[in-house]
Amino acid sequence: MRTTTKGLALAVMLLGSAPALAEDAKPKAAAPKVELVDATTVIPDLMLDLRYATKDNFLKKQVYPDGARCLLLPDSVKRLKQAADVLRPQGYRLKVYDCYRPRAVQYEMWKILPKPGYVANPAKGSNHNRGGAVDLTLATADGGEVEMPTAFDDFTPSAHHGYKGGTPASREHREVLRKAMEGAGFQRNKMEWWHYDLPGATKLPVLDVPFTPAE
């Protein structure tokens, strides 16, 4: 997958550093870099509804800048494209609510809802902080709404994948999304129908670099 076009990717430094070294210790080696790719450059029909770049979220305030983008690790984008390619012939496209999230935002979210399973403890980091998680839903080919069991960031049992309530259409759409995402190798969060993780994401480095505008 090409990620060399101007504005497609960011090189970011890993969060954190080792404890202070003694004066006579050797200098630290430079921290490795991680590439984050703008998913819209690989999936042109990807819809953006980045809720944390608005006040329409459970925080009730905007915590991402206006120029926030759907940034993900290259493997995450590759798998997301696979899911989008499977859904397109079925009359659907993908709409993302959240992608990469700076760790600083994770701290802010934790202050409001310190509830593991719904909001990751920033001390350990979220897979969103690693570029290895995406929150998303289905949209029709022309960008219309598709009924799901709940709204985004609904912290109730109704948002669980095992929820048997709601309308038949909402459950069917949840399953269409699940099959496409799991077919592409993502792993579902059993408590949030919209949340999918890259396999092995918890072993990846936590990042805390701010968004930068596309060049």
Side-chain angles (χ1 to χ4, degrees):
M1 177 177 64
R2 295 184 60 194
T3 56
T4 57
T5 303
K6 188 176 182 182
L8 296 196
L10 296 177
V12 297
M13 300 302 295
L14 301 187
L15 173 70
S17 58
L21 300 176
E23 292 183 0
D24 58 349
K26 295 181 180 180
K28 293 186 296 182
K33 295 181 179 181
V34 176
E35 185 182 63
L36 292 174
V37 179
D38 184 335
T40 62
T41 63
V42 179
I43 312 168
D45 64 347
L46 184 68
M47 294 180 64
L48 300 185
D49 184 11
L50 300 178
R51 293 297 181 85
Y52 303 118
T54 73
K55 294 181 179 180
D56 183 16
N57 58 66
F58 78 96
L59 302 172
K60 303 303 180 185
K61 65 177 181 178
Q62 181 177 343
V63 291
Y64 288 177
D66 291 336
R69 294 177 284 157
C70 178
L71 301 174
L72 292 167
L73 294 174
D75 193 21
S76 298
V77 174
K78 180 184 72 173
R79 294 172 187 270
L80 194 63
K81 182 181 184 302
Q82 290 175 6
D85 290 345
V86 167
L87 289 166
R88 204 171 289 115
Q90 301 179 53
Y92 299 110
R93 58 197 290 197
L94 292 173
K95 178 167 69 173
V96 292
Y97 295 128
D98 197 22
C99 300
Y100 162 70
R101 179 190 307 157
R103 196 182 200 182
V105 175
Q106 196 69 35
Y107 275 101
E108 194 162 355
M109 296 171 77
W110 184 254
K111 290 177 184 178
I112 297 172
L113 189 69
K115 190 174 181 179
Y118 291 104
V119 176
N121 188 330
K124 295 182 178 180
S126 162
N127 286 342
H128 281 292
N129 306 144
R130 299 176 170 94
V134 60
D135 293 341
L136 77 175
T137 189
L138 296 176
T140 61
D142 60 1
E145 294 291 325
V146 170
E147 183 183 9
M148 287 296 190
T150 70
F152 172 59
D153 269 356
D154 181 297
F155 302 122
T156 71
S158 299
H160 296 184
H161 270 278
Y163 177 61
K164 300 184 184 302
T167 67
S170 70
R171 296 194 301 272
E172 179 182 352
H173 295 149
R174 180 185 66 195
E175 286 301 292
V176 169
L177 178 61
R178 180 189 65 77
K179 289 179 181 178
M181 293 297 285
E182 290 186 340
F186 282 101
Q187 298 174 336
R188 70 182 183 273
N189 181 320
K190 65 180 182 180
M191 300 171 71
E192 300 174 346
W193 61 259
W194 58 82
H195 181 111
Y196 287 86
D197 294 298
L198 186 69
T202 55
K203 297 179 181 179
L204 299 173
V206 175
L207 309 172
D208 192 22
V209 293
F211 291 104
T212 59
E215 296 180 0

